[in-house]
Amino acid sequence: MDEILFIVPPNIKYDDFVKPAFNVQMVSKKSGNFGSIRTEMPLGVLSMSAYIKKFTPTQTMLVDFNIALTKLETFRFRSFAEFFRDFLSAPMLTNYTPSIIGISTLYSTSYQNMLDIAQCCRDIFPSTFIVAGGGVPMNMYNEIFRDSVCFDALCYGEGEKPLLGLVEADDKLRYLEENPSWITRRKVESGQPFQYDFIENLDEIPFYDFDILKPDEYDFNPTIITYRATYEKEQSFPAMTSRGCPHRCCFCSAHTIHGRKVRYHSIPRVREDLKRLRDQYGAKTVVFQDDHFMAKRQRVFEILDIIKELQIGVFFQNALAMYALDRKMLEALKSAGIDLLVLSAESGSNRVLKEIMHKPINISMIKQVVDDCRELGIYADLNVMIGLPGETKQDIEDTRNFLKTVNANWVRMSVAAPLVGSEMLDICLKKNYLRGSYLDCDFKKAIVETEDFTAEYIQETAYILNLELNFVENSDFRLGNYKMALKGFENAIRAKNNHAIAYYYAAKCYEKLDNLQKAQQYMNNAKMIVTEKSFWRNYADMFNIL
Ligand code: B12
C-alpha cells in the first residue's frame, strides 16, 4: 500500500517570523515575540487525500508546519531549515518511510521553506518520490528546478487526478514523464507543454479527509479572529462549494490553479457536507473558500437557505463580489444569520478599478452595498489596496477621498503584492518595477515602484490611510455607534499592544459610554506610549491628537 506524507511549509519567511515588522500581528512565546502565523486547514491536501482513498487503499499523513510552529512554546532555531531537520528526524517519523512526499505550497512567502523541506526530506528519505503542488510550484517551476535538485516532479494545476495516477502507477518515474499534468526537469528543458486535469463534477471528490488532521489544532482561526470585532473563538471548518473564477483581476493568481471556468458541487452535496461538518465534527462556523461564491445567483440563494435551515455560522473570508450584492441578496445573507461581510472593494477610484484592476465594479456600487449593509445591520469590512503599476498619486487621493464618504465599519488597507501567476507580476517584471523579491510580497511590504511612486511612499501611505480611515475618521465613531467603534479599536489593541492611536480613540469611546475610569486608563496608556515611542508620536502629531 502506498503511503503519502503531505507537508505544508510555514507560510511565513524565517526573518518575518523571528523579527516581525512594525505593521504586522505578533504572538508572544516564552522565547520572545514572533510573527503571527495563519493556521488554516489545507483544503487541497484534504481533497487529494479523500479522492485518492476513494479509488485505492492508501495511507496518508499530514505535517503542517504552521501548526507545528504555533504549538511550540519556545523557538530557538537559527533557521527554519534547522527546525525542519529537527522535526522530521523525530523517531515517530524516521520509523516511517512514505513512498511519496507531497509538499503543498500556496504562498510565495513559503518558497524557500519548500526548498528547505525538500532538501531535508531528500536526506532523510533518499528513495521516496518528492513532488510538490499548489500555486507556487506550478507558476515557478523554472526557479524551483534552478534552485533545487530534490523534486521528482511538480503538479500543474489541481492535483487530485495526477496524484491518484502517480499512486496507481507501477512505474512512477515513467508516469511522471508521460503524464502532461506533471512538470519534470526533462520536460521543462525540452519545452514540452503542460495540461490541467480538472475534475469537472466536483461531487466526484468525496467528503474531504478531515481525519488526517486534528481539528482542534485549527480552532483558533486567525483570519476570523482578525475580524474579532464581531466574532468569537469557535471551531470552524473550511468548505469550497465551487472552484474557478471567470474574472480577470490583475492582482489575482487563483485562476492559474483552478482555471477560469467555474465548476460546482451540487446543492444536495453542499447540504450533506455542511450537515456532516456540523453533526459529526462539531462545526460552529463554516468558512467558504470559493474563488467566486457569487458565480450563480440562484445557487447562492439555495445555499443560503441550507445555511439557515442548518443554523450554522458562515464566514466568507475571501470577500464577496460586490456587484452581486444587491439588496435582495444582502437581505438573504442577513436572514441566513450573516452579520459580517468582507467586501472586495479594492480601490476607491473608478479609473483604477476599471483600467488597471479590470474589476467588474464601480464606486457607486461600493457605496450602495455599504449603505445597505449598515441599514441591515451587517458589519462591512472593506478590502482596499494601493500601489498597483499604473496607479497614480492622484488615484490614491481619489481613493482616500471616496473612502472617507463610505460608512464601512472597517477598511483593510493593503499594499499591492505582485503574486506569482498574476498579470500584475508580469507587468512589474516587464517594466522593471520591482524593488525587492516578489517572494517577499505579503500585502504589508511594498515592493512595487513605478514612475508614479516609490515603494516607501506606498508603504507609508497605506499605513496612514489605515490610521485615518479606521481611527481618526472611523465611521462608527462619527455616527455615534461607540460600542461598535470600540470593538474595532480594542481589536487593534489586541493585535498591537502599544497602538497609541487605538488607545486614544478607545478612550474617547469609553468617555462617550460614561466609563470614565476606563477612559482615563486608556488615555494614560496613549499618552505614555506617545511620550516613549517616536513612531507613535509622529502619527499623533500628524493627526493633531494627544
Ligand atoms: C483559502 C485561501 C486562504 C486561506 C488559507 C488557506 C490555507 N490553507 O492556507 C486564508 C484566508 C487564511 C488565506 C490567506 C491569504 N492568502 Co489565500 N487563498 C486561499 C484560496 C482562496 C483558496 C486556497 C484553497 O484552499 N484552495 C482549494 C484547494 C482545493 O486548492 P489548493 O489548495 O490550491 O490545492 C489544489 C492544487 O493547488 C493542487 N495542490 C496543492 N498542493 C498540492 C500538493 C501536491 C503534492 C500536489 C500534487 C498538488 C497540490 O492540488 C490541490 C487540489 O486540487 C486561494 C485561491 C485559490 N483558489 O487557490 C488563495 C491564495 C492561495 N491566497 C493568496 C494570498 C495572497 C493570501 C494572503 C497573502 C492574502 C492577504 N492579503 O493576507 C493571505 C496569507 C496567508 C498566509 N497563510 O499567511 C494567493 C497566493 C498567491 C501567492 N503566490 O502567494 C491566492 C492564490 C489567491 C490569489 N489572490 O491569487 N488564503
Side-chain angles (χ1 to χ4, degrees), residues 183-196:
I183 309 168
T184 63
R185 185 184 294 274
R186 196 191 59 77
K187 287 188 226 177
V188 173
E189 282 168 2
S190 64
Q192 273 186 44
F194 302 106
Q195 259 176 37
Y196 291 113

Side-chain angles (χ1 to χ4, degrees), residues 228-230 232 374 379 409-410 474-491 494 505-515 522:
R228 190 157 46 183
T230 57
E232 299 301 331
R374 198 165 267 280
Y379 188 93
N409 300 84
W410 204 260
N474 181 285
S475 61
D476 283 312
F477 189 83
R478 187 164 25 87
L479 297 169
N481 295 334
Y482 301 116
K483 277 192 184 154
M484 186 58 94
L486 187 59
K487 283 186 181 173
F489 301 149
E490 294 201 314
N491 196 15
R494 266 192 296 269
Y505 283 99
K508 292 270 176 207
C509 285
Y510 276 121
E511 198 181 298
K512 297 279 186 193
L513 294 166
D514 282 335
N515 186 341
Y522 272 24

Side-chain angles (χ1 to χ4, degrees), residues 6 11 38 40-45 47-48 102-109 131-136 155 157-160 163 182 208 223 240 243 251-254 257-258 289 291 317-318 414 419-420 442-443:
F6 287 109
N11 296 325
R38 306 229 201 176
E40 300 264 350
M41 295 183 195
L43 267 186
V45 168
S47 168
M48 287 183 291
I103 307 176
S104 179
T105 314
L106 273 53
Y107 300 101
S108 307
T109 44
V131 296
V136 173
C155 185
E158 293 180 5
E160 286 84 355
L163 195 56
W182 282 107
Y208 284 15
T223 313
M240 203 161 180
R243 293 183 184 179
F251 47 81
C252 183
S253 65
I257 285 289
H258 301 300
Q289 305 290 15
D291 293 322
Q317 84 189 351
N318 296 335
S414 304
L419 304 177
V420 284
D442 58 0
F443 294 86

Side-chain angles (χ1 to χ4, degrees), residues 220-509:
F220 199 69
N221 180 317
T223 313
I224 298 189
I225 302 298
T226 307
Y227 298 94
R228 190 157 46 183
T230 57
Y231 269 81
E232 299 301 331
K233 173 177 164 167
E234 58 191 16
Q235 184 70 63
S236 68
F237 282 80
M240 203 161 180
T241 77
S242 65
R243 293 183 184 179
C245 178
H247 297 303
R248 295 184 174 267
C249 304
C250 72
F251 47 81
C252 183
S253 65
H255 63 280
T256 62
I257 285 289
H258 301 300
R260 299 259 188 225
K261 185 178 167 227
V262 188
R263 290 160 292 130
Y264 302 92
H265 276 293
S266 67
I267 291 291
R269 174 61 192 277
V270 172
R271 176 199 303 276
E272 200 183 297
D273 284 6
L274 293 183
K275 195 164 180 309
R276 187 155 169 198
L277 284 174
R278 185 194 68 174
D279 298 344
Q280 194 177 327
Y281 291 85
K284 296 270 183 291
T285 300
V286 171
V287 181
F288 284 87
Q289 305 290 15
D290 300 44
D291 293 322
H292 185 30
F293 185 73
M294 290 287 156
K296 264 194 199 167
R297 189 174 162 82
Q298 190 47 38
R299 184 175 179 273
V300 176
F301 286 119
E302 289 174 37
I303 296 179
L304 291 176
D305 281 344
I306 296 173
I307 291 165
K308 199 169 164 179
E309 173 202 321
L310 296 178
Q311 300 211 338
I312 195 160
V314 299
F315 181 52
F316 298 97
Q317 84 189 351
N318 296 335
L320 293 178
M322 293 187 83
Y323 69 82
L325 299 178
D326 57 16
R327 184 75 182 205
K328 190 170 170 216
M329 182 61 80
L330 287 170
E331 281 169 2
L333 285 158
K334 177 72 184 177
S335 99
I338 293 150
D339 56 7
L340 181 157
L341 284 180
V342 184
L343 301 169
S344 53
E346 308 302 358
S347 177
S349 147
N350 274 336
R351 192 189 85 81
V352 173
L353 286 167
K354 188 164 179 224
E355 291 173 24
I356 298 178
M357 295 182 169
H358 322 307
K359 261 193 95 68
I361 57 166
N362 58 45
I363 60 172
S364 55
M365 278 177 201
I366 298 174
K367 196 158 175 28
Q368 184 63 53
V369 173
V370 171
D371 283 348
D372 283 342
C373 281
R374 198 165 267 280
E375 266 183 52
L376 293 167
I378 299 175
Y379 188 93
D381 206 307
L382 281 195
N383 278 347
V384 175
M385 66 169 97
I386 59 166
L388 290 100
E391 192 172 13
T392 62
K393 286 187 180 171
Q394 184 55 50
D395 292 326
I396 297 172
E397 192 53 23
D398 291 348
T399 289
R400 173 173 175 266
N401 288 333
F402 170 69
L403 290 174
K404 278 161 81 170
T405 69
V406 175
N407 289 330
N409 300 84
W410 204 260
V411 179
R412 238 154 260 278
M413 284 302 310
S414 304
V415 300
L419 304 177
V420 284
S422 68
E423 180 199 351
M424 185 178 153
L425 177 60
D426 294 342
I427 297 173
C428 290
L429 290 172
K430 203 159 113 202
K431 299 205 167 179
N432 195 18
Y433 282 162
L434 295 181
R435 298 292 163 268
S437 164
Y438 55 83
L439 296 178
D440 281 344
C441 64
D442 58 0
F443 294 86
K444 296 276 178 208
K445 209 179 294 169
I447 58 159
V448 177
E449 190 157 295
T450 72
E451 295 81 5
D452 294 295
F453 51 72
T454 62
E456 290 75 35
Y457 174 83
I458 293 300
Q459 175 105 17
E460 181 61 10
T461 307
Y463 201 65
I464 293 170
L465 280 172
N466 159 42
L467 294 178
E468 192 174 359
L469 297 166
N470 292 320
F471 299 90
V472 184
E473 305 268 350
N474 181 285
S475 61
D476 283 312
F477 189 83
R478 187 164 25 87
L479 297 169
N481 295 334
Y482 301 116
K483 277 192 184 154
M484 186 58 94
L486 187 59
K487 283 186 181 173
F489 301 149
E490 294 201 314
N491 196 15
I493 293 170
R494 266 192 296 269
K496 199 179 242 332
N497 61 11
N498 70 355
H499 199 308
I501 310 284
Y503 272 120
Y504 175 82
Y505 283 99
K508 292 270 176 207
C509 285

